[in-house]
């Protein structure tokens, strides 16, 4: 992928980090964002307050969707509930060969997107702790890598797909973002989903950082129970997820992202709708489908939905 035009659709914390890293490396990047972010970025640039550097990065920003017609690569970073309606809005502007990379929470976004368009769509498993500290101001708390792959198992090793994935991987790697092409991205997505189900809702309910959550023994027990329920559902979805690996992944989060408050927690703090229907809510629905009890996930889901109801 030589000199691609990159569009960040939904330039919140995740989009600003990865789009900002590409822009910092000299790539042509345009952020589509809310008016306050656009104004700040146009005026000063994107301020990236990262662990390894702090600087204003020059990047284009707009509220207009018609710039999508320039895109070779779209970093699709909107909230999971907004996937369908956003695709319908940008569909008239999409070039047929524009690649859409879904940097979203959840495990079913690519499936839902591909039902609406014929463009190549690939999931990215996102490992980064970030937040917006203000308009045009990104705060980075830890990590910052991606895993990408073909989400359809029967086509995962197709030569054209592999060529596209390697091109995207090289683009990020050259910009200082570790980006592996996964041999089984569905498994990687479910391990990330496991983490989201274990931490996001609790962080939102308590408005608490990951490191502080696990200082409470009963919360650690709840996290483990949430994890066991997710693993049981994952296996019914055909995902090879071991108890040992699941436990390791769960335990690493407060060590590698101790000061992070979940995206769900950030949404609640801003009185915005959350993605809980696509996190613990999906486990609850799948549990009913497979006849697998998921009381811990049901409790977290219900509590976040209650807060949402009175909060937004």
């Amino acid at each position: 992928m030589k000199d691609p035009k990159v569009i960040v659709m939904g330039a919140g914390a995740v989009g600003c980090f990865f789009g900002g890293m590409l822009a910092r490396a000299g790539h042509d990047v345009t952020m589509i964002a809310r008016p306050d972010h656009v104004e700040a970025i146009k005026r000063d640039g994107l301020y990236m307050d990262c662990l390894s550097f702090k600087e204003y990065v020059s990047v284009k920003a707009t509220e207009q969707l018609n710039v999508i017609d320039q895109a070779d690569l779209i970093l699709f970073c909107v909230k999971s509930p907004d996937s369908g309606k956003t695709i319908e809005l940008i569909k008239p502007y999409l070039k047929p060969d524009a690649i859409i990379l879904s940097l979203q929470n959840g495990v079913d976004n690519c499936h839902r997107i591909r039902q609406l368009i014929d463009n190549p769509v690939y999931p990215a498993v996102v490992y980064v702790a970030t937040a917006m500290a203000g308009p045009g101001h990104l705060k980075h708390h830890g990590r910052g890598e991606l895993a990408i792959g073909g989400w359809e198992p029967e086509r995962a090793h197709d030569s054209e797909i592999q060529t596209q994935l390697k091109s995207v991987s090289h683009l990020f790697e050259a910009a200082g973002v570790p980006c592996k092409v996964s041999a089984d991205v569905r498994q990687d997505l479910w391990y990330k989903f496991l983490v989201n189900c274990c931490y996001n809702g609790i962080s939102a309910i308590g408005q608490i950082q990951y490191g502080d959550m696990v200082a409470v023994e009963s919360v650690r027990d709840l996290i483990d129970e949430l994890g066991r329920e997710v693993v049981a559902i994952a296996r019914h979805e055909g995902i090879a997820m071991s108890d040992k690996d699941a436990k390791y992944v769960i335990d690493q989060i407060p060590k590698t992202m101790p000061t992070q408050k979940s995206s769900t927690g950030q949404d609640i703090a801003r009185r915005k709708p959350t993605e809980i229907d696509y996190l613990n809510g999906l486990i609850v629905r799948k549990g009913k489908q497979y006849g697998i009890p998921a009381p811990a996930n049901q409790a977290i889901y219900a509590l976040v939905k209650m807060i949402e109801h009175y909060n937004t």
Side-chain angles (χ1 to χ4, degrees):
M1 186 177 291
K2 185 178 180 181
D3 300 325
K5 290 187 180 295
V6 180
I7 302 291
V8 180
M9 183 68 239
V14 168
C16 281
F17 178 80
F18 291 104
M21 290 297 287
L22 292 178
R24 186 171 182 255
H27 293 289
D28 186 340
V29 178
T30 300
M31 307 269 188
I32 298 178
R34 298 193 308 271
D36 56 343
H37 286 303
V38 171
E39 181 182 352
I41 292 169
K42 282 185 172 180
R43 183 181 64 244
D44 303 317
L46 173 66
Y47 185 61
M48 299 187 69
D49 182 0
C50 295
L51 296 182
S52 58
F53 67 90
K54 303 177 191 300
E55 65 185 63
Y56 285 95
V57 174
S58 179
V59 60
K60 291 180 282 190
T62 183
E63 300 170 58
Q64 304 303 314
L65 296 179
N66 59 2
V67 297
I68 292 284
D69 65 7
Q70 307 169 19
D72 300 303
L73 173 65
I74 298 169
L75 307 188
F76 197 70
C77 305
V78 304
K79 296 290 186 181
S80 294
D82 299 328
S83 290
K85 67 182 181 183
T86 303
I87 289 295
E88 292 290 2
L89 287 171
I90 69 174
K91 191 175 180 178
Y93 307 111
L94 281 172
K95 295 194 295 187
D97 59 347
I99 295 172
I100 296 178
L101 193 66
S102 166
L103 289 84
Q104 299 172 277
N105 285 328
V107 291
D108 65 345
N109 282 294
C110 283
H111 174 70
R112 292 189 290 126
I113 292 169
R114 280 290 288 132
Q115 289 180 319
L116 300 173
I117 56 172
D118 294 326
N119 290 68
V121 182
Y122 302 118
V125 188
V126 178
Y127 305 99
V128 71
T130 54
M132 296 308 297
H137 181 178
L138 172 77
K139 177 66 176 176
H140 175 226
H141 294 281
R143 300 184 69 171
E145 66 266 25
L146 298 170
I148 62 177
W151 68 277
E152 298 169 298
E154 66 275 11
R155 298 190 62 214
H157 301 292
D158 181 277
S159 60
E160 182 180 0
I161 288 174
Q162 285 299 307
T163 297
Q164 290 176 338
L165 289 170
K166 288 175 183 176
S167 180
V168 172
S169 172
H170 292 157
L171 182 74
F172 280 109
E173 292 274 355
V177 176
C179 181
K180 73 170 185 177
V181 177
S182 173
D184 188 351
V185 77
R186 289 183 72 241
Q187 184 182 63
D188 291 340
L189 279 171
W190 270 89
Y191 273 111
K192 172 68 187 302
F193 182 67
L194 167 73
V195 166
N196 285 339
C197 288
C198 289
Y199 285 91
N200 281 34
I202 299 173
S203 175
I205 294 163
Q207 287 297 299
I208 192 169
Q209 298 173 342
Y210 296 160
D212 295 331
M213 284 168 53
V214 296
V216 181
E217 183 178 359
S218 57
V219 173
R220 293 199 303 271
D221 291 341
L222 175 58
I223 290 169
D224 287 342
E225 184 57 32
L226 289 164
R228 283 190 284 270
E229 292 176 4
V230 174
V231 169
I233 299 295
R235 288 171 179 164
H236 274 74
E237 289 283 300
I239 305 299
M241 185 178 284
S242 75
D243 294 329
K244 180 179 178 182
D245 288 345
K247 177 64 173 169
Y248 175 80
V249 168
I250 290 169
D251 289 347
Q252 287 304 299
I253 294 303
K255 297 175 184 177
T256 58
M257 301 180 178
T259 63
Q260 177 73 359
K261 185 186 292 183
S262 73
S263 58
T264 308
Q266 294 174 45
D267 288 337
I268 289 291
R270 294 174 183 146
R271 296 184 175 273
K272 294 169 57 180
T274 75
E275 298 179 289
I276 201 70
D277 284 308
Y278 296 86
L279 301 175
N280 304 83
L282 185 139
I283 291 299
V284 172
R285 294 191 299 277
K286 292 287 185 181
K288 290 177 180 177
Q289 177 184 337
Y290 294 128
I292 299 174
N297 279 272
Q298 172 65 54
I300 295 298
Y301 174 65
L303 289 170
V304 173
K305 291 299 285 186
M306 179 186 68
I307 295 170
E308 263 191 347
H309 178 77
Y310 291 104
N311 198 32
T312 55

